[in-house]
Amino acid sequence: MEYMTTAPTSPGAGKPRWLTDEEQRVWRAYIDATTLLEDHLDRQLQRDAGMPHVYYGLLVKLAEAPQRRLRMTELAMSAKITRSRLSHAVARLEKSGWVRREDCPSDKRGQFAVLTDEGLEVLGRHAPGHVEAVRQAVFDRLTPEQQKSLGEIMRIVAEGLQPSEAGADLPWLR
């Protein structure tokens, strides 16, 4: 199709800056890889730990936090998810006994998510399998130089997407 092969134009020229053929190949490879990787990790954790990848990530963030606790808003921000999705996830993790909520004494509306001893034990039991899945899916396929490049590229992309203005439409504010 012509729209996919039209040469890019300069920003602000009023015309779309279509991706070049090479940019299109890179973009589609990125989309395919990230979709397949997320599915691979999600299936591994569902099979081995009975939880989706996003829940595992929440447990990791709580395990790394001081006193294994974070305010719900901080946890949503750290996980890059909506408050609604976090609330649902924490409710499921509470039902499993892996997380509990505590009221914030300094803010009547605030709550903490706290990783329980049982949650820490579950995380410790399933972390080795998850790390091996990550290693096999990503790091074992790349040279050390490629790993370094991938890290640098992803940091640049992530930093460029961090909003600089207050009031930005961020997932954890929705």
Side-chain angles (χ1 to χ4, degrees):
M1 294 189 187
E2 184 176 315
Y3 74 88
M4 294 174 73
T5 59
T6 305
T9 59
S10 62
K15 294 181 183 177
R17 294 182 338 132
W18 301 114
L19 299 178
T20 65
D21 289 344
E22 182 58 22
E23 289 169 334
Q24 191 69 250
R25 277 191 289 281
V26 169
W27 176 245
R28 289 182 182 179
Y30 168 80
I31 293 297
D32 288 348
T34 56
T35 301
L36 289 167
L37 179 60
E38 185 60 33
D39 179 67
H40 174 73
L41 297 176
D42 201 57
R43 282 184 292 115
Q44 178 268 321
L45 283 164
Q46 286 285 6
R47 180 187 67 240
D48 296 349
M51 74 177 93
H53 190 216
V54 69
Y55 290 16
Y56 179 87
L58 295 172
L59 296 180
V60 168
K61 289 180 185 313
L62 289 171
E64 293 172 343
Q67 300 174 328
R68 300 187 328 221
R69 61 190 272 149
L70 284 171
R71 286 189 61 134
M72 292 285 283
T73 52
E74 291 176 64
L75 186 54
M77 184 185 318
S78 177
K80 311 279 188 277
I81 60 175
T82 64
R83 290 181 291 189
S84 173
R85 185 173 184 198
L86 176 66
S87 183
H88 176 74
V90 168
R92 297 284 304 273
L93 292 168
E94 279 181 301
K95 193 176 279 189
S96 297
W98 302 340
V99 170
R100 72 174 180 275
R101 292 183 213 217
E102 293 179 355
D103 291 332
C104 178
S106 63
D107 178 1
K108 298 283 188 220
R109 296 183 303 165
Q111 283 191 318
F112 287 98
V114 182
L115 182 65
T116 64
D117 291 341
E118 185 180 348
L120 185 62
E121 189 275 324
V122 165
L123 186 61
R125 189 170 61 238
H126 295 291
H130 180 64
V131 169
E132 186 57 31
V134 169
R135 180 167 297 291
Q136 289 176 354
V138 179
F139 295 100
D140 289 351
R141 298 171 190 272
L142 302 175
T143 66
E145 295 79 22
Q146 290 171 323
Q147 293 174 22
K148 183 178 178 188
S149 293
L150 179 62
E152 290 170 354
I153 290 165
M154 292 295 99
R155 275 189 291 283
I156 290 167
V157 171
E159 288 170 6
L161 293 172
Q162 290 296 324
S164 56
E165 74 276 353
D169 184 26
L170 302 168
W172 52 91
L173 295 178
R174 290 185 222 136

